[in-house]
C-alpha cells in the first residue's frame, strides 16, 4: 500500500472515527478533520442525534467530507421488535448521511448488559443468540438495500462475546453475511478485534472481491498489553501495543479494499489528551505503520 497525500498533505484515505477524539462535538470533529486535511470521518449516532441528523448531514457535506461509517446498529440477540425498529432508524440515518456503512455490533447473550452483571433468567444459549442475529439480518438487509445502505457486521474480540458481540471471528461474520447481496451486508475488519485469529488472513482473502468484496470497513488501532481493568478501553494508538499492522493491511489491500481506513480508539488517556495533538499523532502513526 502506498500512501497518497491530498492537497493538504494528509493521507487521502485516512478517516477519524469520532470516538477517538470523544471530547469533540460533531461540529468540532468536522472542523478538526478539515483543519488537519482529512477527507473522511466516522460518526456515532448519539452525537449525531445531539447535533441533529439533518444539520450533521449538511455540516459534513459543506466541509467536503465523506462519512466512512456510522456507528452503531445491532444488539439484535434479544430478538425483540424494539431492536428491529431501532436498527431501521439507524439505517435511515445512514442513508441521510450518505455513510459508506452502518456498523453492526450484534449484541451479546440476551440478559447480559454491557457494564452490568447478567440479569435474572438470562440465556446461556450462544448458538440461539447467533441464530437470532441471522433472523434479524433477514429482515434488515432488504430494508437497507432499498435505501442504498450497507450493513457491516463487526466481529469483536472473544472477551466481549458475553455482553457485546456473539460474533468473535471474521469467519462467523462472513458466514452470516453470505446469504445476502454483497452490497447489502459486509463485514468490518478491525485490527483490535481480529489480530489474534490464526484464520484471519484466510478469512480476509475469502472476504475479498471487486471493490473489496465483503469488506465494508477497515478500522485500525492497537491492542494494549497489559489491558486496563476496563477492557473496553484497551485500544491504543497504532504503535503503542502489540499488533503487526503491515501484513493485515497488505491482506486487506490484496482483497481489493480501496475505501477509507478509519482510526477508532477507546482509551481514557487518549480521550483526556488535546484532540488536535491526538489527530497529529494519528496522522504520523498512520504514515509510519499503516500506509
Amino acid at each position: 500500500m502506498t500512501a497518497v497525500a491530498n492537497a493538504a498533505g494528509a493521507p487521502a484515505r485516512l478517516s477519524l472515527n469520532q470516538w477517538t477524539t470523544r471530547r469533540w462535538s460533531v461540529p468540532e470533529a468536522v472542523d478538526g478533520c478539515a483543519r488537519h486535511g482529512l477527507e473522511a470521518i466516522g460518526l456515532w449516532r448519539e452525537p449525531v442525534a445531539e447535533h441533529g441528523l439533518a444539520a450533521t448531514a449538511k455540516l459534513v457535506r459543506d466541509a467536503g467530507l465523506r462519512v466512512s461509517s456510522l456507528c452503531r446498529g445491532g444488539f439484535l440477540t434479544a430478538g425483540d421488535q424494539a431492536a428491529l425498529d431501532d436498527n431501521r432508524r439507524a439505517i435511515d440515518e445512514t442513508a441521510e448521511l450518505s455513510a459508506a456503512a452502518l456498523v453492526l455490533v450484534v449484541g451479546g447473550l440476551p440478559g447480559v448488559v454491557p457494564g452490568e452483571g447478567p440479569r435474572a433468567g438470562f440465556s446461556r444459549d450462544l448458538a440461539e443468540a447467533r441464530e437470532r442475529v441471522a433472523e434479524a439480518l433477514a429482515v434488515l438487509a432488504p430494508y437497507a438495500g432499498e435505501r442504498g445502505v450497507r450493513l457491516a457486521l463487526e466481529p469483536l474480540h472473544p472477551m466481549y462475546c458475553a455482553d457485546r458481540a456473539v460474533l468473535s471471528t471474521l469467519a462467523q461474520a462472513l458466514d452470516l453475511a453470505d446469504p445476502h447481496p454483497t452490497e447489502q451486508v459486509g463485514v468490518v475488519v478491525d485490527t483490535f478485534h481480529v489480530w489474534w485469529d490464526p484464520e484471519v488472513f484466510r478469512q480476509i482473502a475469502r472476504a475479498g472481491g471487486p471493490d473489496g468484496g465483503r469488506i465494508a470497513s477497515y478500522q485500525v488501532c492497537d491492542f494494549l498489553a497489559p489491558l486496563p481493568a476496563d477492557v473496553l478501553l484497551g485500544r491504543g494508538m497504532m504503535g503503542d501495543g502489540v499488533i503487526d499492522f503491515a501484513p493485515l493491511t497488505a491482506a486487506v489491500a490484496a482483497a481489493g479494499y480501496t475505501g477509507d481506513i478509519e482510526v477508532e480508539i477507546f482509551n481514557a488517556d487518549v480521550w483526556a489528551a488535546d484532540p488536535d495533538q491526538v489527530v497529529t499523532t494519528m496522522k504520523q502513526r498512520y504514515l509510519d505503520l499503516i500506509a
Side-chain angles (χ1 to χ4, degrees), residues 212-245:
R214 290 279 181 188
I215 301 175
S217 177
Y218 181 39
Q219 295 183 334
V220 297
C221 74
D222 221 328
F223 190 101
L224 300 181
L227 287 167
D230 184 350
V231 295
L232 185 64
L233 305 183
R235 303 168 73 102
M237 186 66 71
M238 298 82 73
D240 288 350
V242 299
I243 296 177
D244 185 3
F245 292 98

Side-chain angles (χ1 to χ4, degrees), residues 128-199:
E128 182 183 37
R130 290 174 177 146
E131 181 58 32
R132 286 179 176 175
V133 177
E135 293 168 356
L137 277 179
V139 174
L140 295 172
Y143 185 89
E146 291 169 1
R147 287 151 183 80
V149 169
R150 194 177 196 191
L151 307 177
L153 295 167
E154 183 170 19
L156 267 58
H157 191 282
M159 63 185 169
Y160 302 120
C161 184
D163 65 343
R164 294 185 184 274
V166 295
L167 297 184
S168 301
T169 68
L170 198 53
Q172 291 172 328
L174 288 168
D175 288 346
L176 277 181
D178 278 347
H180 305 284
T182 302
E183 65 273 15
Q184 290 182 13
V185 183
V187 297
V188 180
V189 178
D190 184 318
T191 57
F192 179 87
H193 294 302
V194 305
W195 72 275
W196 61 274
D197 185 355
E199 287 288 306

Side-chain angles (χ1 to χ4, degrees), residues 6 13 20 25 33 67 75 78 92 104 118 130 134 137 161 174 185 188 221 241 257 261:
N6 58 25
R13 296 173 60 193
T20 301
S25 64
C33 286
V67 180
F75 291 92
D92 293 341
L104 298 186
R130 290 174 177 146
L137 277 179
C161 184
L174 288 168
V185 183
V188 180
C221 74
Y257 181 75
I261 300 176

Side-chain angles (χ1 to χ4, degrees), residues 40-51:
I41 186 170
L43 294 171
W44 279 67
R45 293 179 68 198
E46 295 86 351
V48 167
E50 183 177 342
H51 185 66

